[in-house]
Amino acid sequence: MPRPDRAPKLLVRAPELAAEIAAASGARRPRLLDVRWRLDRPEGRIDYLDGHIPGAVYVDLERELAAPGSPEATGGGRHPLPALADLQAAARRWGVNDGDRVVVYDDNEGVPAARAWWLLRRHGVDVRVLDGGLRAWVRAGYRLQRSDAAPRRGHVSLTEATGGDVASIDDAATAPQRGVLIDARAPQHYRGTVPGLDPAAGHIPGAVNVPTVVHIGADGLLRDAGEIAAHLSGFGVREGTDVVVYCNSGVASMHSALVLAQAGIAARVFVGSWSQWSRSPGRAVAVGASPDAVISAV
């Protein structure tokens, strides 16, 4: 089991963030990014305008944290990775400069914020997730701002990703033989008992179901690193295990990557996730509560 004290600094609590904001000024203030997004309400700007952490800039997950195009056209699922140049242009619109400390948050269990965390971190940005998100900020009694933010354009230069954090569809297919393949979706989607937005229901054969939300406590905060590591060990996930994680379209899986990193475990994300797998002719589909269950083909 990994030692929790070796986990990198990935999260910031609301009181800590408030103290950082109060103590800093100008360029030294943390750059705050509001990643409001839900599957049933993907446009989060209205919620952002209704109240956000003072100084936070709205980030559009659909348009800025994903490449344009339909899954059928791109072949990469519903939320493919944005091109580096496009992500850099967006980060500059958000006012991010080289050397900035960035904090991302949302009001949806940290799941969409983790998408921003994963993307920015892999391109060299010092970024943390606000633990508990906007709800934790409000619960702590801090004020909100109800006007739009128009930051001065930034000059950040994102670095090329070094690789090793992305899994291909073929990597996902063979992951159960090499290590552990984690399906981060809700059990009903894993089992294939409810229809989704994709053409088939079920899971990748051999995948174990570890919904990303099980790592979130009743207080909305991420569970202790040691508790996370102990839970994951029950699925055969330990430090050094070859782990690939997927979800519906590459959003929740990046939250699971954050969770794993908090426990000191590296993981690769199959970005296309189920939205790519279920559109790939000839791929096997398992339906039921066990990793292999009843298998058919797409």
Side-chain angles (χ1 to χ4, degrees), residues 12 20 48 68 70 75 78 89 98 112 124 126 140 148 175 201 208 223 232 240 266:
V12 59
E20 286 184 24
Y48 163 82
S70 68
R78 286 187 275 115
D98 287 325
D126 178 4
D148 204 351
V208 297
R223 297 187 187 278
L232 290 170

Side-chain angles (χ1 to χ4, degrees), residues 3-292:
R3 288 171 45 194
D5 61 351
R6 287 166 52 188
K9 180 67 172 175
L10 307 175
L11 306 173
V12 59
R13 293 282 178 90
E16 181 185 356
L17 177 59
E20 286 184 24
I21 293 172
S25 62
R28 296 189 59 81
R29 287 173 60 89
R31 178 67 61 188
L32 305 175
L33 303 180
D34 184 309
V35 195
R36 219 75 68 90
W37 178 89
R38 295 175 185 276
L39 187 61
D40 61 346
R41 196 166 68 236
E43 176 54 72
R45 183 174 288 278
I46 294 174
D47 294 324
Y48 163 82
L49 293 173
D50 192 49
H52 54 268
I53 298 176
V57 177
Y58 175 67
V59 173
D60 189 322
L61 186 148
E62 296 281 340
R63 297 176 179 85
E64 296 179 309
L65 301 182
S70 68
E72 291 77 13
T74 65
R78 286 187 275 115
H79 292 111
L81 297 182
L84 176 58
D86 293 336
L87 182 62
Q88 178 173 278
R92 290 178 177 181
R93 285 195 301 272
W94 306 330
V96 179
N97 296 310
D98 287 325
D100 277 354
R101 292 173 301 135
V102 175
V103 174
V104 295
Y105 74 89
D106 57 49
D107 63 352
N108 187 17
E109 311 287 9
V111 173
R115 171 91 178 188
W117 165 83
W118 190 89
L119 285 169
L120 293 173
R121 177 172 172 259
R122 73 191 302 258
H123 291 297
V125 176
D126 178 4
V127 56
R128 293 168 293 164
V129 175
L130 175 59
D131 200 6
L134 187 67
R135 295 170 188 170
W137 180 268
V138 171
R139 191 166 56 243
Y142 301 118
R143 73 181 183 91
L144 297 179
Q145 185 178 37
R146 289 180 169 82
S147 61
D148 204 351
R152 177 179 298 177
R153 187 175 182 83
H155 54 67
V156 68
S157 294
L158 302 185
T159 60
E160 291 283 353
T162 56
D165 55 357
V166 173
S168 69
I169 191 170
D170 290 330
D171 292 333
T174 59
Q177 287 74 54
R178 293 179 287 98
V180 178
L181 176 63
I182 293 177
D183 184 316
R185 299 175 299 163
Q188 63 269 27
H189 292 294
Y190 173 83
R191 295 172 182 172
T193 58
V194 297
L197 298 176
D198 301 306
H203 60 268
I204 299 174
V208 297
N209 189 209
V210 189
T212 195
V213 294
V214 304
H215 305 295
I216 302 168
D219 56 3
L221 303 177
L222 205 63
R223 297 187 187 278
D224 175 81
E227 186 179 355
I228 292 170
H231 181 254
L232 290 170
S233 69
F235 296 90
V237 177
R238 298 172 179 82
E239 188 175 19
T241 302
D242 187 349
V243 180
V244 173
V245 61
Y246 76 94
C247 57
N248 276 320
S249 64
V251 179
S253 53
M254 292 178 184
H255 184 271
S256 288
L258 170 69
V259 168
L260 286 155
Q262 181 71 3
I265 300 168
R268 290 181 291 159
V269 174
F270 170 31
V271 179
S273 287
W274 189 250
S275 61
Q276 180 181 0
W277 185 276
S278 63
R279 288 174 171 82
S280 301
R283 294 290 178 178
V285 174
V287 177
S290 68
D292 291 307

